Amino acid sequence: MKKKITIVDYGSGNLLSAQQSFIKASNLSNIDAEIQISNDPTKLDNSTHVVLPGQGAFKTCMEGIKKIPGMQDRLCEFVKIKQRPFFGICVGMQLFADNSEENGNHQGFGWIGGTIKKLPSLETKLPHMGWNNIKVVNANSPIKPEENDYYFVHSYFFDCANRENVVAETKYGINFPSIVNKENVYGCQFHPEKSSAQGLNIIKNFINL
Amino acid sequence: MLKKRIIPCLDVKDGRVVKGINFIDLVDAGDPVEQAKFYSENGADEICFLDISASLEERDTMLSVLKKTAQEVFIPLTVGGGIKSIKNIKDSLMAGADKVSINSAAIKNPEIIKNASEHFGSQCIVVAIDVKKTGSSWMVHSHGGTINTNIEAFSWLEKVQNLGAGEILLTSMDRDGTKIGFDLDLLRESSKILDIPLIASGGVGKIDHFFEGAHIGQADALLAASVFHFNEISIMQVKEFLKKNNIEVRL
C-alpha cells in the first residue's frame, strides 16, 4: 500500500529538509510513499503517517498550530482516534508533553506524560548544539535506533513522567530522553533529518510502521 | 558527550565552487552539491557555503544550489555571504539551509540579529565576525574584511550574543590563509565571554592546529577550507587525531 505521509506546515521549522529526508529514506528502503507538506488539516484524513516538525519556542509553535482552524482537533483525532503513526521532531516532539516551562507555563497536547524543562547550564553551554550520542534504554520500541551520534539543537528537554516512554537517552549535563514513544506516537529531541545515515534509519523505521 | 565539530567551508560564486576540492575525480568538480556530498560522506559534521556572488541574479542561483544540496546531504547546512534581510534569511531557509550566517548586515543594523532570531529561532542565526588585531585589541571588520568598523571584538561578541545570536563564526584575518594556526589568544578570550557555541576560523595549516583550537582555544567547532580542499589533510585524519588526544569527535 502506498504510504501517504504529511509533514505539517504551521510556520515552523525547515520543512524542506524534513521532506527531503523522508523522500530519501523511502527511496533507500524501496517504500512507495508520497511525502507532502501541508497546512490543510483535511489532508490529515487520508494520511497514513503524520510528521510534526518544530523549531523555536514551545509557545510560538503551539500558537502556530492553533492559528490554523481545525488543525489541533485534526491532529488529536489522528493520534487518539485513528491511532496512526505520528512523529515529532525537536519542539514538535516537545508539544506531546503535558506542559512546558519555557518562558512561563504552557499547555501541550498531553499525549505523553511529562513536562518540558530547561537543561542545566552550570557546566555546559546552551543551547545544546551539535552531535551527541544516544543510549538505548528500551529496546522494545518499533523504532530501533543505532547507538550513534545525532544532531541536536535545543535548550529544553522532555522530562517524561513514565520511564517506559523513553526509548533512548542522551547525556548533556544530565541524562535526558532523546527518543520517546508511547503507542502510535514517536518523537526525537534531535534532528533525524540532519543526522546522516543513522538519522535516515530512524525515519525508515517510522515510515515502515 | 557533545562532540567538537569539523566544518569544511566552500566558496560559491554564481552557483559554482571557486575554491574547492581539487584532488578527486568528481564528475563535475565545480559543482557545490557534489562537493558537499563528498564532505558529508567523509566525516564533515556540517557544511558551510559562503556565497561570494556579486549580483542579485547570482543570489537566486545560490538558492537553487541549496535546494539541490538539501536533496543529497543530510547534515546541517549553513549559508553565508550577502545576507541582508529577513527575506534573504527566509529564502535561504526555505531553499534548504539550516542556518544562515550574517556579517556586514549585522554591523550595519544589529537589530537584524534580534529580529531574525525571534522570527526563525536563534538556532539558525550564526553571526560571522572578521577581526584583525590592532595594537592590543582585535577590531571588527566588515565587507569581506575591507572596512575597519572601529568596533572592539569582545564588546561586539557580547552584544550579538545578547541580541540572540545562536552561534559565532569568528575569523582571524591576521591568520586567514597563513597556515600558522588559529589565533589562540583570540579564541580563548572569546570562549570566556560566550555562552553560545564558537566556531573558530582562519589559519589552519596542519593537523595539530585543530587540536589547539579545540583544546587551548576552547572552540566548539573548527572551520577550514583550503587544507581540506587540497587534500593536505582529510577530515577523518583530523578526527582520528583529535580522538587520540582525548577530544570527543563523531567518527
Side-chain angles (χ1 to χ4, degrees):
Chain A
M1 192 191 79
K2 190 181 179 94
K3 313 257 177 165
K4 290 195 81 162
I5 301 168
T6 300
I7 299 171
V8 182
D9 175 9
Y10 60 100
S12 173
N14 185 345
L15 302 176
L16 192 108
S17 322
Q19 184 186 34
Q20 292 305 335
S21 66
F22 274 75
I23 292 172
K24 186 77 176 183
S26 53
N27 289 343
L28 286 171
S29 42
N30 290 315
I31 302 168
D32 186 17
E34 181 193 320
I35 324 281
Q36 63 176 352
I37 294 174
S38 179
N39 60 4
D40 176 0
T42 63
K43 286 280 196 303
L44 267 57
D45 293 345
N46 60 0
S47 299
T48 59
H49 297 59
V50 167
V51 182
L52 192 64
Q55 277 181 358
F58 185 98
K59 179 171 172 258
T60 316
C61 287
M62 204 44 140
E63 282 170 354
I65 291 172
K66 286 182 174 166
K67 241 182 244 166
I68 305 171
M71 183 58 91
Q72 191 177 1
D73 291 344
R74 280 296 211 299
L75 290 171
C76 290
E77 184 192 335
F78 188 91
V79 166
K80 286 294 173 192
I81 296 166
K82 295 187 171 155
Q83 299 189 350
R84 291 184 190 153
F86 194 97
F87 194 79
I89 299 171
C90 197
V91 184
M93 173 206 76
Q94 295 188 351
L95 296 173
F96 299 171
D98 294 319
N99 62 315
S100 169
E101 294 176 356
E102 181 177 0
N103 305 325
N105 194 356
H106 309 285
Q107 208 182 343
F109 292 127
W111 296 334
I112 297 183
T115 298
I116 306 304
K117 295 181 175 169
K118 193 164 192 175
L119 284 166
S121 58
L122 283 175
E123 294 157 37
T124 47
K125 288 184 177 184
L126 288 185
H128 172 218
M129 178 185 277
W131 297 79
N132 203 339
N133 53 298
I134 66 165
K135 186 173 171 12
V136 175
V137 294
N138 176 3
N140 297 323
S141 168
I143 299 282
K144 307 279 180 215
E146 289 171 40
E147 286 197 338
N148 203 326
D149 290 313
Y150 296 85
Y151 189 77
F152 290 82
V153 186
H154 64 121
S155 299
Y156 288 78
F157 73 99
F158 193 164
D159 188 10
C160 284
N162 301 304
R163 184 78 189 151
E164 67 259 32
N165 298 149
V166 182
V167 178
E169 282 184 340
T170 292
K171 189 174 180 191
Y172 189 67
I174 53 164
N175 282 311
F176 67 86
S178 38
I179 303 179
V180 297
N181 168 214
K182 185 184 174 188
E183 292 151 7
N184 54 319
V185 180
Y186 304 82
C188 297
Q189 180 58 68
F190 53 83
H191 288 269
E193 78 281 16
K194 287 288 145 191
S195 295
S196 196
Q198 55 273 34
L200 293 177
N201 273 335
I202 290 177
I203 296 171
K204 276 194 236 170
N205 276 182
F206 174 73
I207 299 175
N208 268 314
L209 291 170
Chain B
M1 184 138 177
L2 187 65
K3 312 298 187 295
K4 299 281 185 184
R5 287 171 279 156
I6 306 295
I7 308 173
C9 180
L10 293 159
D11 287 358
V12 180
K13 188 175 192 302
D14 199 13
R16 305 287 294 170
V17 175
V18 177
K19 208 167 67 174
I21 311 168
N22 64 355
F23 59 92
I24 40 161
D25 293 326
L26 293 176
V27 178
D28 178 358
D31 180 8
V33 183
E34 279 214 43
Q35 297 218 359
K37 202 174 159 198
F38 171 83
Y39 280 128
S40 154
E41 286 164 358
N42 288 278
D45 294 311
E46 280 181 46
I47 302 286
C48 180
F49 282 141
L50 183 62
D51 187 2
I52 55 169
S53 301
S55 71
L56 285 172
E57 296 75 41
E58 289 176 351
R59 302 227 145 264
D60 289 340
T61 315
M62 190 67 207
L63 295 179
S64 81
V65 166
L66 289 171
K67 266 187 194 131
K68 286 184 209 141
T69 310
Q71 292 170 9
E72 302 283 344
V73 173
F74 298 97
I75 58 173
L77 188 58
T78 302
V79 64
I83 301 281
K84 286 189 178 67
S85 63
I86 294 290
K87 185 182 181 302
N88 288 154
I89 298 170
K90 186 167 190 183
D91 289 347
S92 301
L93 296 176
M94 287 308 288
D98 298 287
K99 311 179 191 179
V100 291
S101 82
I102 312 174
N103 191 331
S104 302
I107 295 165
K108 197 174 164 201
N109 171 25
E111 286 297 306
I112 191 175
I113 302 169
K114 188 162 181 275
N115 293 339
S117 62
E118 279 172 4
H119 219 91
F120 305 104
S122 61
Q123 82 288 335
C124 63
I125 307 302
V126 182
V127 176
I129 307 176
D130 297 332
V131 302
K132 201 178 170 114
K133 199 161 187 182
T134 313
S136 60
S137 42
W138 285 272
M139 304 307 283
V140 177
H141 285 60
S142 71
H143 298 85
T146 54
I147 298 171
N148 183 352
T149 63
N150 288 316
I151 301 168
E152 194 273 322
F154 299 138
S155 66
W156 182 236
L157 284 177
E158 265 180 277
K159 182 162 182 181
V160 300
Q161 173 166 270
N162 291 336
L163 284 167
E167 269 183 298
I168 301 293
L169 166 53
L170 185 62
T171 302
S172 158
M173 293 167 56
D174 304 303
R175 296 301 176 96
D176 207 18
T178 62
K179 301 201 168 196
I180 58 171
F182 291 114
D183 186 335
L184 298 173
D185 294 333
L186 170 68
L187 292 179
R188 204 171 28 213
E189 291 305 310
S190 303
S191 297
K192 282 185 202 157
I193 293 167
L194 294 173
D195 298 320
I196 53 174
L198 171 65
I199 307 167
S201 155
V204 167
K206 55 181 188 172
I207 212 157
D208 307 61
H209 295 154
F210 288 95
F211 174 75
E212 293 168 2
H215 185 68
I216 303 171
Q218 291 289 304
D220 301 281
L222 308 155
L223 181 138
S226 56
V227 286
F228 293 140
H229 304 328
F230 296 102
N231 200 25
E232 291 161 20
I233 306 170
S234 77
I235 293 175
M236 286 317 280
Q237 280 173 315
V238 171
K239 290 187 152 186
E240 276 156 16
F241 182 81
L242 291 177
K243 178 95 188 165
K244 216 169 65 190
N245 288 281
N246 299 316
I247 293 200
E248 292 279 342
V249 288
R250 176 179 77 98
L251 282 172

